[in-house]
Amino acid sequence: MRVDELHHPTGRVLVVVCDKGEEPISMIGGALHRHALRAGRVTAVGGFREADVGWFDPERDDYRRIPVREQVEVLSLLGDVAARDGEPVLHAHAVLGRSDGSTVGGHLLRAQVWPTLEVIVTEVAPELAKRVDPETGLALIGDPRR
Amino acid sequence: MRVDELHHPTGRVLVVVCDKGEEPISMIGGALHRHALRAGRVTAVGGFREADVGWFDPERDDYRRIPVREQVEVLSLLGDVAARDGEPVLHAHAVLGRSDGSTVGGHLLRAQVWPTLEVIVTEVAPELAKRVDPETGLALIGDPRR
Amino acid sequence: MRVDELHHPTGRVLVVVCDKGEEPISMIGGALHRHALRAGRVTAVGGFREADVGWFDPERDDYRRIPVREQVEVLSLLGDVAARDGEPVLHAHAVLGRSDGSTVGGHLLRAQVWPTLEVIVTEVAPELAKRVDPETGLALIGDPRR
């Protein structure tokens, strides 16, 4: 499976600013749903009071959860939006910076924002479609012709 | 406070290439000012000879300065542009890579470029407006209706 | 040398999804060549089974190779595309996340994807041109007027 195809910007850019204490995955997901934005690029910077990130364990076909229980800078939140069964799915990875500048990161599972998270989503079309990969059980962006 | 609103690309993309010895925050800021670019997404890669990054300390409501005094790859420089009192303000976080591949990062306070920093800013409209958050004293992107 | 100029999105967005075992630098490079996409911003997230990243050593004017021989999350793959002698050249840096959340990164030299790498390239115009920097021997984005 390989996708290598041209898409187009739709002219929609969604800006989501999460406030203190808010959970960004559900906030961004809700905004994507409300605006029916099903394909795009996601970037964000800001800060978290705490977060859980994940590393996908090929032995267990599941994420190993890595808890981060301290105030961190969101150095990079990068990802994409694709559709599964017509609903937008956010796939976001994060690099977090501790008080000494050391970093920790993974697939972003959940977080608590503090003091802000500034998210920019730029839409592309046509829709990017996810399908379930039989080997891992993960929903991956796939070739719609297969 | 929460912003969840649609913006549009304006069709302007600003490319700033910083050369050896230049300070990127002031260089990018100057270019944003010259082109009156007040809202957008910023990404960059390149290298720094040295840098100061920051971690925002909630106890002191100020950045703790983390000096990086060695040649590093700029693995990720990610951020946004918003307006404060009509002037563009750059908010950029950086992940820096040392000679052994270990990383250090934070809010980018200042740096010295070597050998290059390739910056791409894509503008969106309408303007993203910053307001001062009373709790932290930080200028955060806010809801213009509040 | 300093570039500070306005470009425009061309309306082309290239989505490349790399599958298990594929080498992303050559895959993305091939897609850029096929679509004659010579200037743009690149972002990606996903996973690698292994990778080689590099740190540019100013003493030797060459990359020091940092081997990563374990399953890692691609927390951030960020970069740009510019043209050298009319051919698209990808410049990508990566931050990779290990099973304990620790990170390693550098200039992305090569990798083996697992289970996916989701790449988005947004084109800008006019072309960004690279020239060889006499001091380092690196091809850097330069001012076409010089």
Side-chain angles (χ1 to χ4, degrees):
Chain A
M1 187 263 305
R2 188 175 59 76
V3 182
D4 156 13
E5 57 186 30
L6 286 175
H7 291 248
H8 293 276
T10 62
R12 296 205 302 169
V13 180
L14 182 61
V15 174
V16 182
V17 179
C18 301
D19 201 6
K20 292 165 190 150
E22 292 180 329
E23 199 293 305
I25 297 291
S26 58
M27 295 280 295
I28 302 168
L32 294 171
H33 177 79
R34 267 191 302 285
H35 295 281
L37 196 162
R38 298 190 192 88
R41 170 190 278 159
V42 181
T43 60
V45 293
F48 290 156
R49 199 185 329 238
E50 59 154 337
D52 285 350
V53 295
W55 173 83
F56 191 78
D57 185 346
E59 304 287 316
R60 295 169 48 231
D61 278 343
D62 200 4
Y63 283 101
R64 184 180 298 184
R65 190 170 282 258
I66 300 159
V68 179
R69 295 290 175 268
E70 60 196 300
Q71 174 69 31
V72 286
E73 299 282 323
V74 178
L75 302 181
S76 158
L77 188 158
L78 191 66
D80 55 52
V81 179
R84 186 174 176 184
D85 302 329
E87 274 299 301
V89 177
L90 172 66
H91 183 199
H93 286 189
V95 183
L96 309 174
R98 298 193 190 92
S99 60
D100 62 354
S102 66
T103 67
V104 55
H107 176 98
L108 185 59
L109 295 168
R110 54 159 293 285
Q112 194 184 351
V113 169
W114 198 94
T116 189
L117 186 74
E118 302 165 353
V119 186
I120 299 177
V121 186
T122 43
E123 189 178 35
V124 298
E127 199 168 294
L128 299 173
K130 294 218 161 195
R131 63 175 187 86
V132 175
D133 171 52
E135 186 186 349
T136 59
L138 289 170
L140 307 179
I141 297 175
D143 186 336
R145 291 160 299 186
R146 291 173 53 155
Chain B
M1 186 265 304
R2 189 174 59 76
V3 182
D4 157 14
E5 57 185 31
L6 287 175
H7 291 249
H8 294 276
T10 61
R12 296 206 301 169
V13 180
L14 182 62
V15 174
V16 182
V17 180
C18 302
D19 201 7
K20 293 165 190 151
E22 291 180 330
E23 200 293 304
I25 297 290
S26 58
M27 295 279 295
I28 302 168
L32 295 171
H33 177 78
R34 267 192 301 285
H35 295 280
L37 197 162
R38 298 190 192 88
R41 170 191 278 157
V42 180
T43 61
V45 292
F48 290 157
R49 200 183 330 237
E50 58 154 336
D52 285 350
V53 294
W55 173 83
F56 191 79
D57 185 346
E59 304 288 316
R60 296 168 48 231
D61 279 343
D62 200 5
Y63 284 102
R64 186 180 298 184
R65 190 171 283 258
I66 300 159
V68 179
R69 295 290 174 267
E70 60 196 300
Q71 174 69 30
V72 286
E73 299 281 324
V74 178
L75 302 180
S76 158
L77 187 159
L78 191 65
D80 55 51
V81 179
R84 185 173 176 184
D85 301 331
E87 274 299 302
V89 177
L90 171 67
H91 183 199
H93 286 188
V95 183
L96 308 174
R98 299 193 189 93
S99 59
D100 63 354
S102 66
T103 66
V104 56
H107 176 98
L108 186 59
L109 294 168
R110 56 160 291 285
Q112 194 184 352
V113 169
W114 196 94
T116 189
L117 186 75
E118 302 165 354
V119 186
I120 299 177
V121 186
T122 43
E123 188 178 35
V124 298
E127 198 169 293
L128 299 173
K130 294 217 160 197
R131 63 176 188 86
V132 175
D133 171 52
E135 186 185 349
T136 60
L138 289 170
L140 308 178
I141 297 176
D143 186 337
R145 293 161 297 187
R146 290 173 52 153
Chain C
M1 185 264 306
R2 188 175 59 77
V3 182
D4 156 13
E5 56 185 33
L6 286 175
H7 290 249
H8 294 276
T10 61
R12 296 205 303 168
V13 180
L14 182 63
V15 174
V16 182
V17 180
C18 301
D19 202 6
K20 293 165 190 150
E22 291 180 329
E23 200 293 306
I25 297 290
S26 57
M27 295 279 295
I28 302 167
L32 295 171
H33 176 78
R34 267 191 301 285
H35 295 280
L37 197 162
R38 298 190 192 87
R41 169 191 279 158
V42 181
T43 60
V45 293
F48 290 156
R49 200 183 329 237
E50 58 154 336
D52 286 349
V53 295
W55 174 83
F56 192 79
D57 185 348
E59 304 288 315
R60 296 169 47 232
D61 278 344
D62 200 5
Y63 283 101
R64 185 179 298 184
R65 189 170 284 258
I66 300 160
V68 179
R69 296 290 174 268
E70 60 196 301
Q71 175 68 31
V72 286
E73 300 281 324
V74 178
L75 302 180
S76 158
L77 187 159
L78 191 66
D80 55 52
V81 179
R84 185 175 176 185
D85 302 330
E87 274 300 301
V89 177
L90 172 66
H91 183 200
H93 286 189
V95 182
L96 309 173
R98 299 193 190 93
S99 60
D100 62 354
S102 66
T103 67
V104 55
H107 176 98
L108 186 58
L109 295 167
R110 56 159 292 285
Q112 193 183 351
V113 168
W114 197 94
T116 190
L117 186 75
E118 302 165 354
V119 185
I120 299 177
V121 186
T122 43
E123 189 178 36
V124 297
E127 199 168 294
L128 299 172
K130 293 217 161 197
R131 62 174 189 85
V132 174
D133 171 52
E135 186 186 349
T136 60
L138 289 170
L140 307 179
I141 297 175
D143 187 335
R145 291 161 299 186
R146 291 172 52 151

